PDB file of all heavy atoms in Angstrom:
ATOM      1  N   GLU A  15     -10.069  -1.695 -21.678  1.00 80.00           N
ATOM      2  CA  GLU A  15      -8.955  -2.035 -20.788  1.00 80.00           C
ATOM      3  C   GLU A  15      -9.074  -1.233 -19.506  1.00 80.00           C
ATOM      4  O   GLU A  15      -9.317  -0.017 -19.545  1.00 80.00           O
ATOM      5  CB  GLU A  15      -7.636  -1.708 -21.471  1.00 80.00           C
ATOM      6  CG  GLU A  15      -7.238  -2.712 -22.556  1.00 80.00           C
ATOM      7  CD  GLU A  15      -6.900  -4.072 -21.961  1.00 80.00           C
ATOM      8  OE1 GLU A  15      -6.312  -4.110 -20.842  1.00 80.00           O
ATOM      9  OE2 GLU A  15      -7.222  -5.097 -22.584  1.00 80.00           O
ATOM     10  N   PRO A  16      -8.935  -1.847 -18.341  1.00 86.00           N
ATOM     11  CA  PRO A  16      -8.966  -1.089 -17.093  1.00 86.00           C
ATOM     12  C   PRO A  16      -7.738  -0.218 -16.947  1.00 86.00           C
ATOM     13  O   PRO A  16      -6.670  -0.526 -17.481  1.00 86.00           O
ATOM     14  CB  PRO A  16      -9.012  -2.160 -16.036  1.00 86.00           C
ATOM     15  CG  PRO A  16      -8.375  -3.340 -16.673  1.00 86.00           C
ATOM     16  CD  PRO A  16      -8.733  -3.286 -18.108  1.00 86.00           C
ATOM     17  N   GLU A  17      -7.896   0.843 -16.211  1.00 93.00           N
ATOM     18  CA  GLU A  17      -6.750   1.719 -15.910  1.00 93.00           C
ATOM     19  C   GLU A  17      -5.908   1.108 -14.788  1.00 93.00           C
ATOM     20  O   GLU A  17      -6.406   0.278 -14.019  1.00 93.00           O
ATOM     21  CB  GLU A  17      -7.262   3.098 -15.464  1.00 93.00           C
ATOM     22  CG  GLU A  17      -8.043   3.863 -16.530  1.00 93.00           C
ATOM     23  CD  GLU A  17      -7.121   4.329 -17.645  1.00 93.00           C
ATOM     24  OE1 GLU A  17      -5.940   4.601 -17.360  1.00 93.00           O
ATOM     25  OE2 GLU A  17      -7.602   4.431 -18.782  1.00 93.00           O
ATOM     26  N   PRO A  18      -4.641   1.444 -14.695  1.00 96.00           N
ATOM     27  CA  PRO A  18      -3.851   1.015 -13.538  1.00 96.00           C
ATOM     28  C   PRO A  18      -4.484   1.527 -12.231  1.00 96.00           C
ATOM     29  O   PRO A  18      -5.186   2.536 -12.246  1.00 96.00           O
ATOM     30  CB  PRO A  18      -2.480   1.651 -13.784  1.00 96.00           C
ATOM     31  CG  PRO A  18      -2.431   1.876 -15.283  1.00 96.00           C
ATOM     32  CD  PRO A  18      -3.840   2.202 -15.672  1.00 96.00           C
ATOM     33  N   PHE A  19      -4.257   0.817 -11.156  1.00 96.00           N
ATOM     34  CA  PHE A  19      -4.849   1.142  -9.863  1.00 96.00           C
ATOM     35  C   PHE A  19      -3.767   1.739  -8.999  1.00 96.00           C
ATOM     36  O   PHE A  19      -2.709   1.132  -8.758  1.00 96.00           O
ATOM     37  CB  PHE A  19      -5.419  -0.108  -9.202  1.00 96.00           C
ATOM     38  CG  PHE A  19      -6.279   0.153  -8.002  1.00 96.00           C
ATOM     39  CD1 PHE A  19      -7.606   0.477  -8.146  1.00 96.00           C
ATOM     40  CD2 PHE A  19      -5.728   0.060  -6.734  1.00 96.00           C
ATOM     41  CE1 PHE A  19      -8.402   0.691  -7.024  1.00 96.00           C
ATOM     42  CE2 PHE A  19      -6.488   0.287  -5.614  1.00 96.00           C
ATOM     43  CZ  PHE A  19      -7.841   0.610  -5.743  1.00 96.00           C
ATOM     44  N   ALA A  20      -3.978   2.985  -8.521  1.00 95.00           N
ATOM     45  CA  ALA A  20      -2.975   3.690  -7.723  1.00 95.00           C
ATOM     46  C   ALA A  20      -3.387   3.663  -6.236  1.00 95.00           C
ATOM     47  O   ALA A  20      -4.514   4.011  -5.889  1.00 95.00           O
ATOM     48  CB  ALA A  20      -2.821   5.108  -8.200  1.00 95.00           C
ATOM     49  N   ILE A  21      -2.431   3.249  -5.395  1.00 95.00           N
ATOM     50  CA  ILE A  21      -2.691   3.194  -3.947  1.00 95.00           C
ATOM     51  C   ILE A  21      -1.342   3.161  -3.232  1.00 95.00           C
ATOM     52  O   ILE A  21      -0.390   2.523  -3.684  1.00 95.00           O
ATOM     53  CB  ILE A  21      -3.540   1.961  -3.588  1.00 95.00           C
ATOM     54  CG1 ILE A  21      -3.873   1.965  -2.082  1.00 95.00           C
ATOM     55  CG2 ILE A  21      -2.870   0.689  -3.996  1.00 95.00           C
ATOM     56  CD1 ILE A  21      -4.878   0.884  -1.685  1.00 95.00           C
ATOM     57  N   ALA A  22      -1.278   3.895  -2.128  1.00 93.00           N
ATOM     58  CA  ALA A  22      -0.091   3.891  -1.254  1.00 93.00           C
ATOM     59  C   ALA A  22       1.194   4.202  -2.008  1.00 93.00           C
ATOM     60  O   ALA A  22       2.255   3.631  -1.749  1.00 93.00           O
ATOM     61  CB  ALA A  22       0.034   2.566  -0.521  1.00 93.00           C
ATOM     62  N   GLY A  23       1.087   5.074  -2.998  1.00 92.00           N
ATOM     63  CA  GLY A  23       2.275   5.443  -3.787  1.00 92.00           C
ATOM     64  C   GLY A  23       2.676   4.417  -4.823  1.00 92.00           C
ATOM     65  O   GLY A  23       3.692   4.589  -5.497  1.00 92.00           O
ATOM     66  N   ALA A  24       1.881   3.346  -4.936  1.00 95.00           N
ATOM     67  CA  ALA A  24       2.195   2.288  -5.905  1.00 95.00           C
ATOM     68  C   ALA A  24       1.175   2.338  -7.032  1.00 95.00           C
ATOM     69  O   ALA A  24       0.034   2.745  -6.847  1.00 95.00           O
ATOM     70  CB  ALA A  24       2.174   0.910  -5.253  1.00 95.00           C
ATOM     71  N   THR A  25       1.582   1.852  -8.194  1.00 97.00           N
ATOM     72  CA  THR A  25       0.700   1.734  -9.333  1.00 97.00           C
ATOM     73  C   THR A  25       0.655   0.270  -9.767  1.00 97.00           C
ATOM     74  O   THR A  25       1.671  -0.337 -10.081  1.00 97.00           O
ATOM     75  CB  THR A  25       1.192   2.576 -10.529  1.00 97.00           C
ATOM     76  OG1 THR A  25       1.272   3.969 -10.115  1.00 97.00           O
ATOM     77  CG2 THR A  25       0.251   2.477 -11.716  1.00 97.00           C
ATOM     78  N   ILE A  26      -0.575  -0.313  -9.669  1.00 97.00           N
ATOM     79  CA  ILE A  26      -0.750  -1.729  -9.962  1.00 97.00           C
ATOM     80  C   ILE A  26      -1.358  -1.873 -11.343  1.00 97.00           C
ATOM     81  O   ILE A  26      -2.434  -1.358 -11.633  1.00 97.00           O
ATOM     82  CB  ILE A  26      -1.624  -2.413  -8.895  1.00 97.00           C
ATOM     83  CG1 ILE A  26      -0.957  -2.319  -7.520  1.00 97.00           C
ATOM     84  CG2 ILE A  26      -1.884  -3.865  -9.267  1.00 97.00           C
ATOM     85  CD1 ILE A  26      -1.447  -1.293  -6.641  1.00 97.00           C
ATOM     86  N   ALA A  27      -0.633  -2.561 -12.222  1.00 98.00           N
ATOM     87  CA  ALA A  27      -1.091  -2.739 -13.595  1.00 98.00           C
ATOM     88  C   ALA A  27      -2.256  -3.747 -13.638  1.00 98.00           C
ATOM     89  O   ALA A  27      -2.354  -4.626 -12.762  1.00 98.00           O
ATOM     90  CB  ALA A  27       0.059  -3.260 -14.477  1.00 98.00           C
ATOM     91  N   PRO A  28      -3.134  -3.647 -14.648  1.00 98.00           N
ATOM     92  CA  PRO A  28      -4.222  -4.625 -14.781  1.00 98.00           C
ATOM     93  C   PRO A  28      -3.676  -6.038 -14.887  1.00 98.00           C
ATOM     94  O   PRO A  28      -2.630  -6.290 -15.522  1.00 98.00           O
ATOM     95  CB  PRO A  28      -4.903  -4.182 -16.086  1.00 98.00           C
ATOM     96  CG  PRO A  28      -4.588  -2.742 -16.217  1.00 98.00           C
ATOM     97  CD  PRO A  28      -3.219  -2.562 -15.655  1.00 98.00           C
ATOM     98  N   GLY A  29      -4.366  -6.973 -14.231  1.00 98.00           N
ATOM     99  CA  GLY A  29      -3.965  -8.369 -14.269  1.00 98.00           C
ATOM    100  C   GLY A  29      -2.821  -8.729 -13.346  1.00 98.00           C
ATOM    101  O   GLY A  29      -2.216  -9.794 -13.482  1.00 98.00           O
ATOM    102  N   THR A  30      -2.508  -7.849 -12.390  1.00 98.00           N
ATOM    103  CA  THR A  30      -1.408  -8.105 -11.453  1.00 98.00           C
ATOM    104  C   THR A  30      -1.854  -7.910 -10.006  1.00 98.00           C
ATOM    105  O   THR A  30      -2.918  -7.308  -9.756  1.00 98.00           O
ATOM    106  CB  THR A  30      -0.191  -7.208 -11.712  1.00 98.00           C
ATOM    107  OG1 THR A  30      -0.544  -5.848 -11.430  1.00 98.00           O
ATOM    108  CG2 THR A  30       0.253  -7.325 -13.175  1.00 98.00           C
ATOM    109  N   ALA A  31      -1.059  -8.369  -9.087  1.00 98.00           N
ATOM    110  CA  ALA A  31      -1.308  -8.211  -7.654  1.00 98.00           C
ATOM    111  C   ALA A  31      -0.074  -7.597  -7.001  1.00 98.00           C
ATOM    112  O   ALA A  31       1.064  -7.791  -7.440  1.00 98.00           O
ATOM    113  CB  ALA A  31      -1.632  -9.542  -7.018  1.00 98.00           C
ATOM    114  N   ARG A  32      -0.331  -6.875  -5.903  1.00 98.00           N
ATOM    115  CA  ARG A  32       0.798  -6.255  -5.201  1.00 98.00           C
ATOM    116  C   ARG A  32       0.418  -6.039  -3.752  1.00 98.00           C
ATOM    117  O   ARG A  32      -0.728  -5.674  -3.447  1.00 98.00           O
ATOM    118  CB  ARG A  32       1.189  -4.951  -5.869  1.00 98.00           C
ATOM    119  CG  ARG A  32       2.413  -4.256  -5.247  1.00 98.00           C
ATOM    120  CD  ARG A  32       2.964  -3.208  -6.162  1.00 98.00           C
ATOM    121  NE  ARG A  32       4.085  -2.494  -5.576  1.00 98.00           N
ATOM    122  CZ  ARG A  32       4.775  -1.556  -6.200  1.00 98.00           C
ATOM    123  NH1 ARG A  32       4.453  -1.211  -7.428  1.00 98.00           N
ATOM    124  NH2 ARG A  32       5.800  -0.947  -5.587  1.00 98.00           N
ATOM    125  N   ASP A  33       1.377  -6.219  -2.869  1.00 98.00           N
ATOM    126  CA  ASP A  33       1.186  -5.930  -1.439  1.00 98.00           C
ATOM    127  C   ASP A  33       1.663  -4.491  -1.173  1.00 98.00           C
ATOM    128  O   ASP A  33       2.787  -4.122  -1.565  1.00 98.00           O
ATOM    129  CB  ASP A  33       1.952  -6.905  -0.572  1.00 98.00           C
ATOM    130  CG  ASP A  33       1.441  -8.322  -0.709  1.00 98.00           C
ATOM    131  OD1 ASP A  33       0.312  -8.489  -1.153  1.00 98.00           O
ATOM    132  OD2 ASP A  33       2.174  -9.240  -0.309  1.00 98.00           O
ATOM    133  N   VAL A  34       0.805  -3.716  -0.506  1.00 97.00           N
ATOM    134  CA  VAL A  34       1.158  -2.342  -0.168  1.00 97.00           C
ATOM    135  C   VAL A  34       0.912  -2.144   1.328  1.00 97.00           C
ATOM    136  O   VAL A  34       0.316  -2.974   1.982  1.00 97.00           O
ATOM    137  CB  VAL A  34       0.330  -1.305  -0.983  1.00 97.00           C
ATOM    138  CG1 VAL A  34       0.562  -1.514  -2.463  1.00 97.00           C
ATOM    139  CG2 VAL A  34      -1.160  -1.434  -0.638  1.00 97.00           C
ATOM    140  N   ALA A  35       1.458  -1.059   1.866  1.00 96.00           N
ATOM    141  CA  ALA A  35       1.303  -0.799   3.282  1.00 96.00           C
ATOM    142  C   ALA A  35       1.151   0.688   3.537  1.00 96.00           C
ATOM    143  O   ALA A  35       1.806   1.524   2.863  1.00 96.00           O
ATOM    144  CB  ALA A  35       2.508  -1.336   4.074  1.00 96.00           C
ATOM    145  N   PHE A  36       0.303   1.063   4.465  1.00 95.00           N
ATOM    146  CA  PHE A  36       0.129   2.444   4.917  1.00 95.00           C
ATOM    147  C   PHE A  36       0.688   2.591   6.315  1.00 95.00           C
ATOM    148  O   PHE A  36       0.257   1.887   7.238  1.00 95.00           O
ATOM    149  CB  PHE A  36      -1.354   2.833   4.946  1.00 95.00           C
ATOM    150  CG  PHE A  36      -1.956   2.978   3.572  1.00 95.00           C
ATOM    151  CD1 PHE A  36      -2.656   1.934   2.974  1.00 95.00           C
ATOM    152  CD2 PHE A  36      -1.856   4.166   2.878  1.00 95.00           C
ATOM    153  CE1 PHE A  36      -3.190   2.072   1.733  1.00 95.00           C
ATOM    154  CE2 PHE A  36      -2.400   4.312   1.634  1.00 95.00           C
ATOM    155  CZ  PHE A  36      -3.082   3.278   1.045  1.00 95.00           C
ATOM    156  N   GLN A  37       1.671   3.454   6.495  1.00 93.00           N
ATOM    157  CA  GLN A  37       2.175   3.685   7.839  1.00 93.00           C
ATOM    158  C   GLN A  37       1.117   4.389   8.651  1.00 93.00           C
ATOM    159  O   GLN A  37       0.486   5.354   8.187  1.00 93.00           O
ATOM    160  CB  GLN A  37       3.444   4.521   7.818  1.00 93.00           C
ATOM    161  CG  GLN A  37       4.055   4.715   9.223  1.00 93.00           C
ATOM    162  CD  GLN A  37       5.450   5.302   9.212  1.00 93.00           C
ATOM    163  OE1 GLN A  37       6.164   5.143   8.271  1.00 93.00           O
ATOM    164  NE2 GLN A  37       5.795   5.990  10.286  1.00 93.00           N
ATOM    165  N   ILE A  38       0.903   3.916   9.887  1.00 91.00           N
ATOM    166  CA  ILE A  38      -0.128   4.485  10.721  1.00 91.00           C
ATOM    167  C   ILE A  38       0.446   5.435  11.743  1.00 91.00           C
ATOM    168  O   ILE A  38       0.122   6.623  11.790  1.00 91.00           O
ATOM    169  CB  ILE A  38      -0.902   3.333  11.460  1.00 91.00           C
ATOM    170  CG1 ILE A  38      -1.518   2.387  10.434  1.00 91.00           C
ATOM    171  CG2 ILE A  38      -1.982   3.932  12.351  1.00 91.00           C
ATOM    172  CD1 ILE A  38      -1.982   1.096  11.019  1.00 91.00           C
ATOM    173  N   THR A  39       1.313   4.907  12.606  1.00 87.00           N
ATOM    174  CA  THR A  39       1.868   5.724  13.678  1.00 87.00           C
ATOM    175  C   THR A  39       3.133   5.034  14.165  1.00 87.00           C
ATOM    176  O   THR A  39       3.557   3.999  13.603  1.00 87.00           O
ATOM    177  CB  THR A  39       0.856   5.848  14.827  1.00 87.00           C
ATOM    178  OG1 THR A  39       1.322   6.779  15.791  1.00 87.00           O
ATOM    179  CG2 THR A  39       0.581   4.509  15.489  1.00 87.00           C
ATOM    180  N   THR A  40       3.792   5.580  15.173  1.00 86.00           N
ATOM    181  CA  THR A  40       4.943   4.920  15.802  1.00 86.00           C
ATOM    182  C   THR A  40       4.560   4.451  17.198  1.00 86.00           C
ATOM    183  O   THR A  40       3.772   5.109  17.893  1.00 86.00           O
ATOM    184  CB  THR A  40       6.129   5.860  15.897  1.00 86.00           C
ATOM    185  OG1 THR A  40       5.724   7.085  16.532  1.00 86.00           O
ATOM    186  CG2 THR A  40       6.686   6.193  14.521  1.00 86.00           C
ATOM    187  N   LEU A  41       5.074   3.286  17.568  1.00 83.00           N
ATOM    188  CA  LEU A  41       4.806   2.723  18.880  1.00 83.00           C
ATOM    189  C   LEU A  41       5.671   3.376  19.946  1.00 83.00           C
ATOM    190  O   LEU A  41       6.506   4.239  19.647  1.00 83.00           O
ATOM    191  CB  LEU A  41       5.066   1.220  18.841  1.00 83.00           C
ATOM    192  CG  LEU A  41       4.285   0.454  17.771  1.00 83.00           C
ATOM    193  CD1 LEU A  41       4.663  -1.033  17.798  1.00 83.00           C
ATOM    194  CD2 LEU A  41       2.778   0.623  17.957  1.00 83.00           C
ATOM    195  N   ALA A  42       5.479   2.980  21.199  1.00 84.00           N
ATOM    196  CA  ALA A  42       6.245   3.598  22.279  1.00 84.00           C
ATOM    197  C   ALA A  42       7.743   3.407  22.121  1.00 84.00           C
ATOM    198  O   ALA A  42       8.514   4.228  22.607  1.00 84.00           O
ATOM    199  CB  ALA A  42       5.792   2.985  23.617  1.00 84.00           C
ATOM    200  N   THR A  43       8.141   2.374  21.455  1.00 88.00           N
ATOM    201  CA  THR A  43       9.567   2.124  21.222  1.00 88.00           C
ATOM    202  C   THR A  43      10.125   2.926  20.044  1.00 88.00           C
ATOM    203  O   THR A  43      11.306   2.877  19.755  1.00 88.00           O
ATOM    204  CB  THR A  43       9.815   0.629  20.922  1.00 88.00           C
ATOM    205  OG1 THR A  43       9.024   0.254  19.780  1.00 88.00           O
ATOM    206  CG2 THR A  43       9.386  -0.238  22.112  1.00 88.00           C
ATOM    207  N   GLY A  44       9.248   3.632  19.330  1.00 89.00           N
ATOM    208  CA  GLY A  44       9.650   4.344  18.140  1.00 89.00           C
ATOM    209  C   GLY A  44       9.523   3.525  16.878  1.00 89.00           C
ATOM    210  O   GLY A  44       9.785   4.039  15.787  1.00 89.00           O
ATOM    211  N   THR A  45       9.109   2.279  17.030  1.00 86.00           N
ATOM    212  CA  THR A  45       8.965   1.391  15.856  1.00 86.00           C
ATOM    213  C   THR A  45       7.746   1.797  15.043  1.00 86.00           C
ATOM    214  O   THR A  45       6.654   1.990  15.607  1.00 86.00           O
ATOM    215  CB  THR A  45       8.777  -0.072  16.301  1.00 86.00           C
ATOM    216  OG1 THR A  45       9.858  -0.426  17.175  1.00 86.00           O
ATOM    217  CG2 THR A  45       8.729  -0.997  15.125  1.00 86.00           C
ATOM    218  N   PRO A  46       7.867   1.960  13.715  1.00 89.00           N
ATOM    219  CA  PRO A  46       6.701   2.302  12.914  1.00 89.00           C
ATOM    220  C   PRO A  46       5.763   1.125  12.766  1.00 89.00           C
ATOM    221  O   PRO A  46       6.166  -0.024  12.833  1.00 89.00           O
ATOM    222  CB  PRO A  46       7.312   2.717  11.567  1.00 89.00           C
ATOM    223  CG  PRO A  46       8.617   1.973  11.515  1.00 89.00           C
ATOM    224  CD  PRO A  46       9.118   1.900  12.923  1.00 89.00           C
ATOM    225  N   SER A  47       4.484   1.427  12.594  1.00 92.00           N
ATOM    226  CA  SER A  47       3.483   0.404  12.372  1.00 92.00           C
ATOM    227  C   SER A  47       2.780   0.688  11.041  1.00 92.00           C
ATOM    228  O   SER A  47       2.673   1.836  10.630  1.00 92.00           O
ATOM    229  CB  SER A  47       2.444   0.384  13.499  1.00 92.00           C
ATOM    230  OG  SER A  47       1.817   1.650  13.624  1.00 92.00           O
ATOM    231  N   ALA A  48       2.294  -0.369  10.393  1.00 94.00           N
ATOM    232  CA  ALA A  48       1.712  -0.182   9.066  1.00 94.00           C
ATOM    233  C   ALA A  48       0.513  -1.131   8.869  1.00 94.00           C
ATOM    234  O   ALA A  48       0.470  -2.222   9.431  1.00 94.00           O
ATOM    235  CB  ALA A  48       2.748  -0.445   7.977  1.00 94.00           C
ATOM    236  N   LEU A  49      -0.451  -0.687   8.064  1.00 96.00           N
ATOM    237  CA  LEU A  49      -1.612  -1.468   7.663  1.00 96.00           C
ATOM    238  C   LEU A  49      -1.293  -2.129   6.323  1.00 96.00           C
ATOM    239  O   LEU A  49      -1.069  -1.430   5.325  1.00 96.00           O
ATOM    240  CB  LEU A  49      -2.838  -0.569   7.541  1.00 96.00           C
ATOM    241  CG  LEU A  49      -4.131  -1.239   7.062  1.00 96.00           C
ATOM    242  CD1 LEU A  49      -4.671  -2.209   8.132  1.00 96.00           C
ATOM    243  CD2 LEU A  49      -5.208  -0.188   6.755  1.00 96.00           C
ATOM    244  N   ALA A  50      -1.289  -3.450   6.294  1.00 97.00           N
ATOM    245  CA  ALA A  50      -0.906  -4.194   5.099  1.00 97.00           C
ATOM    246  C   ALA A  50      -2.164  -4.547   4.272  1.00 97.00           C
ATOM    247  O   ALA A  50      -3.151  -5.009   4.821  1.00 97.00           O
ATOM    248  CB  ALA A  50      -0.161  -5.467   5.473  1.00 97.00           C
ATOM    249  N   ILE A  51      -2.065  -4.368   2.942  1.00 98.00           N
ATOM    250  CA  ILE A  51      -3.191  -4.630   2.038  1.00 98.00           C
ATOM    251  C   ILE A  51      -2.642  -5.351   0.828  1.00 98.00           C
ATOM    252  O   ILE A  51      -1.596  -4.963   0.272  1.00 98.00           O
ATOM    253  CB  ILE A  51      -3.879  -3.334   1.600  1.00 98.00           C
ATOM    254  CG1 ILE A  51      -4.347  -2.518   2.800  1.00 98.00           C
ATOM    255  CG2 ILE A  51      -5.007  -3.583   0.631  1.00 98.00           C
ATOM    256  CD1 ILE A  51      -4.814  -1.103   2.437  1.00 98.00           C
TER     257      ILE A  51
END
């Protein structure tokens, strides 16, 4: 059995899918930006 996959503070169980995001920086307006995976 595969182990759960840990990324971006989330734990993804085997046989499942999940969208996660890594905050990168803040824009000139102060709005946060993130890399979606």
Side-chain angles (χ1 to χ4, degrees):
E15 284 292 325
E17 296 291 329
F19 191 84
I21 184 172
T25 301
I26 298 100
T30 66
R32 184 164 177 178
D33 294 342
V34 301
F36 288 96
Q37 183 169 333
I38 301 166
T39 188
T40 53
L41 304 178
T43 58
T45 306
S47 58
L49 178 68
I51 304 169

